[in-house]
Amino acid sequence: MSIEQTLLDLEEELWRANREGDGAFYDKVLRDDALGVSKFGVYDKSGAVKLISINDNPFTRSKMSDAKVLLINDTAALVTYKTDYTALIDGTKHDFTALATTVYSLEDGEWRAVLHQQS
C-alpha cells in the first residue's frame, strides 16, 4: 500500500474513532506533543483523548472528499481534505462542513499525528 493510501486510511480511522468514542485509538495515533486547532481553541493530546472518550456530542456520520496528500520528506507528510459530518447535539442532528489538515510524522515505523486543524 502506498504512503498516501496509508495516511488516507488512517485519517478515515480517526473519524471512525471519533464517531465511536474510541479515545484509545487517538491515544495510539497522536504523538505525545500533538496539538489540535479548531474554532473551539487549541488542545493537546490528553485533551483530545478525553474529548473523544467522553463523546458528549457523538458524530453519527462523516465523509471525506477532495483529499490530497503532500509528502514533505520520507518521514513527514500532510493530509488535507473537506469533511461533511453530522453531530448529535442535545439529541438533535446538526450537519457541518470543515476543511481539515493533519500533519504526520513517521516514527518507529508508525505514522503519528502531530497537528490537526479544522476550519
Side-chain angles (χ1 to χ4, degrees):
M1 179 181 314
S2 70
I3 293 171
E4 291 87 353
Q5 191 59 55
T6 297
L7 293 173
L8 291 172
D9 290 350
L10 187 54
E11 205 65 28
E12 288 281 6
E13 279 297 297
L14 286 165
W15 282 96
R16 178 215 45 86
N18 195 319
R19 289 191 308 271
E20 296 175 6
D22 184 357
F25 187 76
Y26 271 69
D27 190 50
K28 175 185 168 190
V29 174
L30 270 59
R31 203 166 76 173
D32 287 344
D33 59 349
L35 293 175
V37 180
S38 75
K39 67 180 181 178
F40 302 107
V42 177
Y43 51 89
D44 61 11
K45 178 180 177 175
S46 65
V49 170
K50 180 180 178 183
L51 184 67
I52 296 302
S53 298
I54 292 170
N55 206 14
D56 278 341
N57 300 310
F59 290 3
T60 59
R61 171 192 72 87
S62 60
K63 182 178 182 201
M64 290 173 38
S65 61
D66 302 326
K68 294 176 182 56
V69 177
L70 174 63
L71 299 176
I72 298 167
N73 59 38
D74 291 343
T75 61
L78 68 86
V79 179
T80 186
Y81 56 92
K82 176 182 164 186
T83 185
D84 295 298
Y85 61 98
T86 302
L88 193 60
I89 301 172
D90 296 327
T92 303
K93 289 184 178 182
H94 296 270
D95 293 325
F96 298 96
T97 297
L99 300 175
T101 300
T102 306
V103 177
Y104 286 96
S105 176
L106 183 63
E107 299 176 7
D108 299 323
E110 299 287 332
W111 288 99
R112 301 280 183 244
V114 179
L115 172 74
H116 180 77
Q117 182 275 329
Q118 286 186 26
S119 56

